[in-house]
Amino acid sequence: MKYEFSDDLKQAQTLDQEDVLSDIRNHFYIQPNQIYMDGNSLGLASKDAEESLNKMMNVWKTEGINMWDEYFHYGQKLGDECAKLINAEKNEVLITGSTTSNVHQCVTTLYHPTKDRYKILVDDLNFPTDRYAVDSDVRLKGYTPEEAVKVVKSPDGKYIDEDAVIEAMTPDVALILLPTVLYRSAQILDMEKITKAAHERGIFIGWDLCHAIGAIKMDFQKVQPDFAIWCTYKYLSGGPGSIAGLYLNKKHFDKTPGLAGWWGNRDDTQFQLKHQFQHQQDVSGWQIGTPTMLSMAPLEGTLKLINSIGMDKIRTKSLKITAYLMYLIDTKLSKYGCTVGNPREDDKRGGHVCLEHPNGYQISLALKDRGVIPDFREPDVIRLAPIALYTSYQEVYKMVEILEDIMSSKSYEKYSDKRGLVV
Ligand SMILES: Cc1ncc(COP(=O)(O)O)c(C=O)c1O
């Protein structure tokens, strides 16, 4: 979409006045004198999340073991709320485990290699945990990653070529795992086109939605992938290490879970505690052990808030505020060698903007010292995420002003480029 932006503070103020989500910011704990641009790594705490966490504490305090009467299906209940964000059917989505353990769960469920079809196709830009999981899952079947993991290489280290992915779908490929939004460059892959191509070739396909869920709109009724997994601590603000999401297409409900546990057993026989596992014939059959209720509870609050707004409004603001940031980088920072490293098209970019500069790491440290929280990804990317729910246009404007000062004074040069523990 085309916007008419200008580089003065007055316009930032007007954009905030016109922002239909501006009041939502009051739900979040915004720290004074801080501009938080890292909601794509760890979303800010909200009062809604705090309330649902307190409620869960209270239920534990007052009900003890009786709490299970009400909360036995909590993973499914939150899954139903999450299903709305991707337009999936209710019983196909579950809140459980971590992104990584859910990769293992889905891959071990669907990956049954044969002599002719034994490869898993991945890309070389996805977040490494997915690759570690896939490598170990092929090892469990007696292969080495060198023989059974096929990697589509990015032509430029930034983007994935969708046609190259489709070309790599050879008859020896059994399963594909790809990110929907790339964690560094924010590129969106066309899930519908790639999933269709995989299915035409008899290949199962799963998507990592970590940087997509709560940031972009998705329609799983249309895409019909085999599985998807995601974390809930980024755009969904579920809390540090909050419990992850798992989607399993209903056509796989009859398959045996790769990683079985008693919480995946049929409800009506679970407490008979028999040694024959009978899995629940919906996504809840893919639960493993007792759900970690206190880590799940904050998500209830934020999902309620997000669903009360809807992804249409969230995506509309995200596209506008990221376009505004790109405009300010172009007009105010390009003279200092700063470039925009994410795709610019609306249907090709996720929820964050990549500011690239050879001294990116030092600049990110200088920003932190000035009260701006970005994050940095190797080799030269400062990721800046103005979050639709709580970032204002004036904050974006102010941050670019601070960046302008850091760049023109070269104050970043006083910082070491030796990397810290969490960059
Ligand atoms: C694409 C992607 N997958 C997975 C993860 C992390 O996995 P987990 O939630 O199991 O720590 C991240 C973390 O940033 C990620 O960006």
Side-chain angles (χ1 to χ4, degrees), residues 233-246:
Y233 45 75
K234 300 181 190 294
Y235 293 90
L236 299 187
S237 275
S242 54
I243 306 307
L246 187 160

Side-chain angles (χ1 to χ4, degrees), residues 28 45 47 62 72 141 180 204 208 235 281 300 306 310 314 414 416 420:
F28 288 85
K47 290 164 193 163
T62 55
F72 193 73
K141 298 285 183 188
T180 301
F204 291 144
D208 182 329
Y235 293 90
Q281 299 272 324
E300 181 180 352
I306 289 170
I314 290 173
K414 70 174 192 240
S416 159

Side-chain angles (χ1 to χ4, degrees), residues 353-364:
V353 169
C354 304
L355 191 160
E356 293 181 345
H357 189 280
N359 299 99
Y361 183 65
Q362 291 158 291
I363 297 166
S364 74

Side-chain angles (χ1 to χ4, degrees), residues 40-41 98-103 126-130 179 181-183 208-211 229-234 242 244 377 383:
N40 58 325
S41 254
S98 69
T99 317
T100 313
S101 69
N102 290 345
V103 172
N126 198 354
F127 194 77
T129 201
D130 289 16
V181 174
L182 270 64
Y183 78 90
D208 182 329
L209 311 182
C210 279
H211 287 270
I229 42 87
W230 58 91
C231 63
T232 57
Y233 45 75
K234 300 181 190 294
S242 54
R377 289 294 175 262
R383 297 190 306 182

Side-chain angles (χ1 to χ4, degrees), residues 74-84 90 93-95:
Y74 200 49
Q76 292 101 301
K77 182 182 157 180
L78 298 193
D80 291 351
E81 290 304 305
C82 235
K84 295 176 189 166
K90 278 181 165 186
V93 180
L94 179 69
I95 296 302

